Amino acid sequence: MSERRILIAPSILSADFTKLGDEIRAVEDAGADMIHVDVMDGHFVPNITMGPFIVEAVRRATDLPIDAHLMVTNPDEFADPFIEAGADYVVFHAEACYDVAELIRHIRGRGVKAGLAVNPPSSADLIEPHLANIDLALVMTVNPGHSGQSFIADVMPKLAHVAELKAERDLGFLIAVDGGVGPKTAGTVVANGGEALVAASAIFRAGDIGEAVRGLRGAAESALPGAA
Ligand code: DX5
Ligand code: ZN
């Protein structure tokens, strides 16, 4: 078995918010590695979701790392409120930021991990100059806006390219994949270099949340090089 470890990052976008704390505990008990919070502003994406107060609530519900995925047009104005709310990772879109290097510096300067997200139509060139300075690359496999969309397999060559760059340069950032990830797509994600699997509907709409986390991990791990 390879030493590469798969991380499971449930996205609470599909959680039942009348019992958010219970659902977070269920994914934690099932071995989830981090909690993904999808922040949408109604401008960068056609939907409005959660603000820093949700991150504050998640922070009180779990000690797992929280990654705040900012799908907003002005991430430079919103990094600080999410850091103050308790996010461990602040992930913003390269497409939405004028001075990417400066925002990475700012986030890391506050002792928080910085992540860069890239949408399906965007080239990896958008994040390539920053790979040595980030903690996480979030490769989107849907056009962000809603959970429950279909996985865009055309993104796989870009994911593999990001993984190659990481290996060639011996970098430490985590490669996360977000959108349409579930037991059926986990194998191709892992085969192309994905390390952290973000999943909303495949976990929170699956019936048994704990089973869904374990099933996703099993599907992902069986695609690791050297797995039986
Ligand atoms: C894209 C969000 C994703 C999304 C994932 O709109 O950034 O995190 O909620 O949802 P599923 O896993 O259902 O595709
Ligand atoms: Zn997301």
Side-chain angles (χ1 to χ4, degrees):
M1 175 71 79
S2 147
E3 285 180 21
R4 204 170 123 205
R5 197 174 118 64
I6 297 297
L7 304 182
I8 303 294
S11 158
I12 60 168
L13 187 58
S14 291
D16 179 345
F17 273 68
T18 63
K19 43 182 181 176
L20 183 59
D22 292 345
E23 298 211 338
I24 289 171
R25 275 182 286 280
V27 294
E28 185 169 2
D29 289 349
D33 299 282
M34 56 209 285
I35 301 293
H36 184 90
V37 180
D38 282 309
V39 177
M40 304 187 187
D41 68 349
H43 291 273
F44 185 69
V45 288
N47 193 8
I48 295 177
T49 58
M50 306 165 223
F53 75 101
I54 298 284
V55 169
E56 267 172 37
V58 175
R59 182 73 296 152
R60 281 183 271 117
T62 181
D63 291 327
L64 287 178
I66 298 172
D67 69 298
H69 175 193
L70 306 190
M71 289 160 277
V72 305
T73 48
N74 47 352
D76 49 323
E77 288 172 52
F78 278 101
D80 281 332
F82 283 94
I83 290 169
E84 279 143 30
D88 298 280
Y89 288 82
V90 171
V91 182
F92 62 97
H93 275 260
E95 298 92 351
C97 188
Y98 177 68
D99 192 342
V100 169
E102 174 52 31
L103 186 51
I104 292 168
R105 256 195 308 278
H106 177 78
I107 293 166
R108 288 182 132 189
R110 295 209 56 185
V112 169
K113 295 187 167 78
L116 257 188
V118 61
N119 277 339
S122 302
S123 161
D125 294 354
L126 218 52
I127 62 171
E128 182 275 330
H130 307 287
L131 295 178
N133 302 317
I134 58 175
D135 301 286
L136 183 148
L138 186 65
V139 177
M140 296 304 301
T141 39
V142 298
N143 288 302
H146 300 276
S147 58
Q149 302 183 76
S150 298
F151 181 80
I152 302 175
D154 289 356
V155 175
M156 292 302 97
K158 179 168 70 185
L159 173 61
H161 179 55
V162 171
E164 270 163 32
L165 293 171
K166 173 179 168 165
E168 271 168 30
R169 300 177 189 178
D170 196 20
L171 298 174
F173 67 89
L174 189 64
I175 302 176
V177 178
D178 186 5
V181 176
K184 291 199 177 110
T185 52
T188 183
V189 166
V190 170
N192 285 284
E195 299 164 331
L197 277 59
V198 177
S201 49
I203 290 177
F204 290 105
R205 296 287 159 86
D208 185 326
I209 292 173
E211 237 359 271
V213 171
R214 288 185 288 270
L216 183 57
R217 184 183 296 288
E221 287 181 348
S222 64
L224 283 171

